[in-house]
Amino acid sequence: MRINASSHVPYLFARRHLRSLALMVALLLAAGTSASGPQPQDSWLDGYRPMAQRVIDTSLGAPFAWRRLAELTDTFGPRFSGSANLEHAIRWAEAEMKRDGLENVRLQPVHVPRWVRGTENLEIVEPVPSSLAMLGLGGSVATPADGLRAELLVVGSFEDLRSRITDARGKIVLFNAPFTSYSETVTYRTNSASEAASAGAVAALVRSVGGMGLRTPHTGMMVYSEDVPKIPAAAISAEDAERLARMQARDGHVELRLRMGAQTLPDAQSANVIGEITGHERPEEIVLVGGHIDSWDVGTGASDDGVGCVVTWEALRLMKALDLRPRRTVRVVLFTNEENGLRGGLGYRDAFAEEAAQHVLALESDSGVFAPLRLGYTGPDRGLQTLSDIATLLTRLGIDRVGAGGGGADISPIARAGNVPMMSLGGDPRRYFTIHHTQADTIERITSDEVSRAAAAIAVVAYIVADMPQRLGAYTATN
Amino acid sequence: MRINASSHVPYLFARRHLRSLALMVALLLAAGTSASGPQPQDSWLDGYRPMAQRVIDTSLGAPFAWRRLAELTDTFGPRFSGSANLEHAIRWAEAEMKRDGLENVRLQPVHVPRWVRGTENLEIVEPVPSSLAMLGLGGSVATPADGLRAELLVVGSFEDLRSRITDARGKIVLFNAPFTSYSETVTYRTNSASEAASAGAVAALVRSVGGMGLRTPHTGMMVYSEDVPKIPAAAISAEDAERLARMQARDGHVELRLRMGAQTLPDAQSANVIGEITGHERPEEIVLVGGHIDSWDVGTGASDDGVGCVVTWEALRLMKALDLRPRRTVRVVLFTNEENGLRGGLGYRDAFAEEAAQHVLALESDSGVFAPLRLGYTGPDRGLQTLSDIATLLTRLGIDRVGAGGGGADISPIARAGNVPMMSLGGDPRRYFTIHHTQADTIERITSDEVSRAAAAIAVVAYIVADMPQRLGAYTATN
């Protein structure tokens, strides 16, 4: 749930959340705390146990998915919207899906924004020159070519700035708000430029939104308000933010020079990658799983979100390899442009608007797969009961429940359009937000076991939801 | 001992090591394993207990030394030989020592080499362009201005290269030797360029000599052999080394472009900073303590070795503040140019050649202060007995013994010249070598308690060795 609270979750069904959570807690208490986790009240799942066993054995038996993630991230590196790397990766994924034997493999064209970072740096010029670790924020405007030189003002929060608003004019304002959770602090990344501009500042710096790493700045999207001047905005490492705060506290006078060559270019052509296992009885009903194939322009986008693509895709590859064909269609979508536009998710909704209500469930993996795994759900209560039953098959994977609250940025548009229940699969947020949007988002952070477990969990859940006689969330005697 | 084995330790007294280690083990066994550590055999130390108590109370009572380290590293940032930052820091330290009331504060002029990194980068150009995290190695020559483009060859070791020597011609060779310990793997940083050049390679890359961080390359010195062409050499992050190794294993063809603008300029003027507490009875006898004020040109040189300067300096400040004046002189030296020339240590030896034998002990702190602290010693056995007695006063600081083997690069020249016993104070090598020579070597890694403990330990040891009636290592009835 922390993952979901700190991700892009549209709080559909918000009132039902509390009820479903209460119900689930009651069920868990009633089921006791046996070593194998809570057991379902009835045996409707029994027919699926051998399948789950095979899927889990196969997935844990070989590091196929980790190797695929390594090939994706090694070969193409960062896959930023508008880059050739992203388009190469998309065509590779399409070809590989065909090699896997997935069905109806195709590209769904989408236009994506194209922001380019350009050359950038930040340095202390007074009292003694020294360079700082920075990353411009996505969407920022550039500085003049020879940079902006101005005095520093460090504030701790938006409130702090407002209380010292006359100090900010003509300055570079640093928002040194310590990272607590992503949901609480991401507002500084998103809104600092316009807050600082309102106070007359010439540029905004943000303490990186993420746990302190090894002087690793975290990039990400920022947004300008309509009514104030657009000023350049960049993230600096937590260490550099602390350093500047100490310098201001010590003697007050620090001058910085910020140079950013950022540009927003015309939109570029990109695509969502789609593959399926077609349902044998109700092929028009869709269980959608996916992640996003684009990444920021630093790191190699392994946890955000190469791994989400690979583990959802792997769920279908496992079904194909094990000759598992459910009643309904299971569809994997590798969305483009989640990071700085959400055009992939919006484009999917537009292309499949007429079939939105045919989506039975949409599951996204976009919070890493760092152990322990977490499954979250947003939807009708009775769907949560069914999914909690299914989760009892996943105890070998370190999962024994489904939390309230689940979704993902890319699946939100189709979910809104079709009132589709959503799930998320994610992992330990501490590990995730240490590397999130940094150059350290590489495959070395993730074990092959973590990747295999996530793929198996998605395969079991997606297969059963696609195959069970009743549609997820519909009332029946047995669920 | 691990710290010492993995640092610049000249193995003076090598044969005595084993004897002293065996003797110390015997003493420790005889002393049992009481909670307060081994107790000295006699009470010669009793007169020093109140002093030790006061020094430790004072040092742990306020984060004075941590704040000084913050001021040094925040204000001046990296302090590379030949830079204005280093010279500013040296003059600041001189002024601060005078403010502390240290005696005979002066600068001892030293010429230092001046290597400048220039603009540099490394990218994969085939199969898909992608930039890598790199740092040129100190002393390297430049590439041509538009870079060197060549095919990659990854080898695991020097032996591996020799077994594939015909494959290396015209290539950029990556030595992907996993980090075990600094002493075992630093040879790849030092010698890879000439090893690769011998095989006809056009450039050498080295997997960073340090634990895997967050895609953080580690710089450091390299050395060219006389008889082979000088080719450019750079370190890459462990993650990038693994990535390139996987790419070679996968399909074999990777092309890189390396650009380095490195230059070696004429020597620059620098200085060692010297301050003293003059002895009241034998002022000509010197207990020398110190660290090195220069750092690499990345990070802010907090652990390597701002903290070594601050904690040894703090030992004298504590003596001054507590009105402790020993029989002999205690001298702190902040050496310049340890990192890429050792000119500070050599210059000190030359300037004090006639007094070399008057140095009673030389202690360097150049391995961080990460808990648990370690004291090491290289010298006559009976000195180790005395120091082990003294260490019983340090149990509050997490120290209860003195290990065999201790020294430091900067104090080695004077120690050789005067046959001076050496000590080192260092800390946990795992934390140290994760950030060593990286941009993450900042004060955020070090707690104020760690700094205070190190300063107190050095103050107690230096004071007693400077004050006790007999010279360290001399035979008496009581030590």
Side-chain angles (χ1 to χ4, degrees), chain A residues 66 70-71 73-78 85 88 127-130 133 212-216 239 242-243 246-247 250 299-300 434-435 439-440 442-445, chain B residues 66 70-71 73-78 85 88 127-130 133 212-216 239 242-243 246-247 250 299-300 434-435 439-440 442-445:
Chain A
W66 190 93
E71 185 171 352
T73 56
D74 291 345
T75 308
F76 305 104
N85 295 49
H88 288 313
V128 179
S130 191
M212 190 178 290
L214 289 172
R215 210 171 169 202
T216 26
E239 291 93 330
E242 289 291 292
R243 177 180 175 186
R246 283 190 301 265
M247 290 177 80
R250 203 176 285 128
T300 61
T434 299
I435 57 155
Q439 73 158 7
T442 72
I443 196 169
E444 276 67 32
R445 308 271 91 76
Chain B
W66 190 92
E71 185 172 351
T73 55
D74 291 346
T75 309
F76 304 104
N85 296 48
H88 288 314
V128 179
S130 191
M212 191 179 287
L214 289 172
R215 211 171 169 204
T216 26
E239 291 92 331
E242 289 291 294
R243 177 179 175 187
R246 283 190 301 266
M247 290 178 79
R250 204 174 284 125
T300 62
T434 299
I435 56 155
Q439 73 160 8
T442 73
I443 197 169
E444 276 68 31
R445 308 269 92 75

Side-chain angles (χ1 to χ4, degrees), chain A residues 299-311:
Chain A
T300 61
S303 275
D304 189 12
D305 183 28
V307 77
C309 292
V310 166
V311 296

Side-chain angles (χ1 to χ4, degrees), chain B residues 81-119:
Chain B
S81 289
S83 71
N85 296 48
L86 173 59
E87 298 314 305
H88 288 314
I90 284 169
R91 269 139 201 90
W92 167 85
E94 181 192 19
E96 289 286 302
M97 278 188 189
K98 287 179 177 165
R99 285 219 304 194
D100 290 344
L102 301 198
E103 298 148 15
N104 302 322
V105 174
R106 70 247 195 223
L107 300 185
Q108 181 221 324
V110 179
H111 284 95
V112 297
R114 188 170 181 198
W115 177 83
V116 292
R117 177 176 304 284
T119 301

Side-chain angles (χ1 to χ4, degrees), chain A residues 154-161 164 174-178 188:
Chain A
V154 184
V155 298
S157 64
F158 293 140
E159 295 66 41
D160 189 16
L161 174 64
R164 308 167 63 177
L174 164 63
F175 293 86
N176 184 30
Y188 287 100

